Amino acid sequence: MTFLTQMAAARCGTITPQVRQVLIDEKIHENDLLTRIAEGRIVIPANRNHTSLLAKGIGAGLTTKINVNLGVSEDCCNVEAELQKVRRSIELKADAIMDLSTFGDTRAFRKRAVEISPAMIGTVPVYDAVARYGKDVAAITVDDFFDVVRMHAEDGVDFMTIHAGLTQTAIQRLRITPRLTHIVSRGGSLLLDWMTANDKENPFYEHFDRLLELCRQYDVTLSLGDGLRPGSLRDATDAAQIQELIFLGELTKRCWQAEVQVMIEGPGHVPLNEVAANMLLEKKLCHGAPFYVLGPIVTDVAPGYDHITSAIGGALAAAHGADFLCYVTPAEHLRLPDQDDMKEGIIAARIAAHAADIAKGIPGAIDWDNAMSAARRDLDWDRMFGLALDPEKAKAYRASSKPVDQEVCTMCGDLCAVKRSRTILQPETDAAS
């Protein structure tokens, strides 16, 4: 039986079950959704082997989605703890989960995550190639790399980060571009090591058609990684980053020719005044493909608070065209995040995404805020908690400081402006209530 990718189906005018799910979740006309999938401006990462998936769309005219990174490492190899993070991420309404495991039985963990997750699952196969084969990076073969890609596809992974734009030309550009932090992408640094040791081209660039065939077979969405993303403000928007982005734009067209869905990964550490320009460059150079950004982090001096630095950058980035935000936790740059860190990162990313949706004019986005404002006007605390992005925290704060007048809070008490002005401006409504 011949299977169609989501892009191929859209080009035929076929409404897949995944498209139907997106139409339920989003305020977009069916024809507009199909057109944008067909053009590559929207992707629905949905591996045909991920049977527990509740499909989501990423791209033009849709709500901004958020991703959570997790996975086991050599220093923190607690599989059950990471699976609990998967469950908690879903409870906290993450749209996607990236398994970045680098140690132990990575396949068993990945398959379990796919089995229990209705959220889309992403991976970085080059990490797993190192973990699985236990070889020196230089000794990994091209077939080794592609065998791992096939394994991830078979296991039901919906999107894969592949740093195919990190070519020898891009590395040469890096060598002549003075950088403060060189390469901060793990996948990018591993491929740099392999390419330098073997004096060969990036295997994923050289054999890109082979990669596309695997993606088409399972309908895996390619997330073309930014191996040369800036890891410090000083390195943002430099020649090496843009050189790689140019290659990613060329590869995007090859994906679309093969009817493979693709999105582009972006920076990184970016000053506020350069965020909008980075979004414009990606959309121009990569032909409107969905853009997936890490943060961006807008200052380098806040370790312990990088969920805030990234939320600031993420809101601005999404308001200017980014479609998918990778969360950042307070533990960024410091250690593997725990569940508390993860929650802080998810909430911060969701705030950024929603703020951007309002700015972008996504249909219905501001309705949630209007409902909250009405509940505040009415001093209806139960309704406020029900509408809160994090009801648990809102209730805990309220319970920790009880007012004498239960209608108000301990910030203003009898001087509550909302209650006082409502009494004057809505006397009939108050009397009726």
Side-chain angles (χ1 to χ4, degrees), residues 11-57:
R11 289 176 175 178
C12 297
T14 300
I15 306 292
T16 65
Q18 293 79 18
V19 166
R20 291 193 189 281
Q21 183 60 54
V22 173
L23 288 170
I24 291 169
D25 292 341
E26 306 275 356
K27 293 186 177 179
I28 185 171
H29 191 276
E30 177 183 297
N31 290 339
D32 291 335
L33 179 58
L34 286 178
T35 297
R36 292 172 197 175
I37 296 170
E39 293 173 346
R41 295 170 61 211
I42 288 176
V43 297
I44 304 179
N47 186 313
R48 64 182 83 265
N49 288 347
H50 189 175
T51 56
S52 63
L53 178 70
L54 190 62
K56 296 285 184 75

Side-chain angles (χ1 to χ4, degrees), residues 42-193:
I42 288 176
V43 297
I44 304 179
N47 186 313
R48 64 182 83 265
N49 288 347
H50 189 175
T51 56
S52 63
L53 178 70
L54 190 62
K56 296 285 184 75
I58 302 168
L62 304 183
T63 54
T64 306
K65 305 305 185 298
I66 72 156
N67 172 72
V68 169
N69 289 340
L70 46 77
V72 294
S73 66
E74 184 172 5
D75 289 321
C76 297
C77 190
N78 187 330
V79 171
E80 189 49 48
E82 294 306 299
L83 284 173
Q84 187 54 36
K85 286 183 186 177
V86 172
R87 298 183 186 99
R88 185 63 172 145
S89 297
I90 295 163
E91 291 173 3
L92 292 169
K93 300 182 181 179
D95 301 296
I97 295 167
M98 284 203 80
D99 170 20
L100 305 184
S101 295
T102 58
F103 188 76
D105 191 347
T106 55
R107 188 173 200 188
F109 176 77
R110 179 172 59 252
K111 292 175 78 170
R112 184 74 179 119
V114 169
E115 179 185 352
I116 67 176
S117 176
M120 51 189 144
I121 298 288
T123 59
V124 187
V126 71
Y127 296 176
D128 201 25
V130 175
R132 183 170 185 80
Y133 296 116
K135 300 178 180 179
D136 183 77
V137 172
I140 298 174
T141 68
V142 172
D143 284 342
D144 287 340
F145 282 127
F146 278 94
D147 285 346
V148 171
V149 171
R150 176 178 290 280
M151 183 189 309
H152 284 218
E154 290 174 349
D155 291 345
V157 170
D158 302 296
F159 65 98
M160 296 185 200
T161 293
I162 304 287
H163 300 86
L166 185 66
T167 64
Q168 288 286 4
T169 299
I171 290 173
Q172 181 58 32
R173 181 70 63 192
L174 174 67
R175 292 186 187 281
I176 62 175
T177 302
R179 268 196 168 187
L180 189 60
T181 49
H182 309 300
I183 290 181
V184 299
S185 159
R186 273 188 293 182
S189 67
L190 290 169
L191 284 170
L192 171 70
D193 188 355

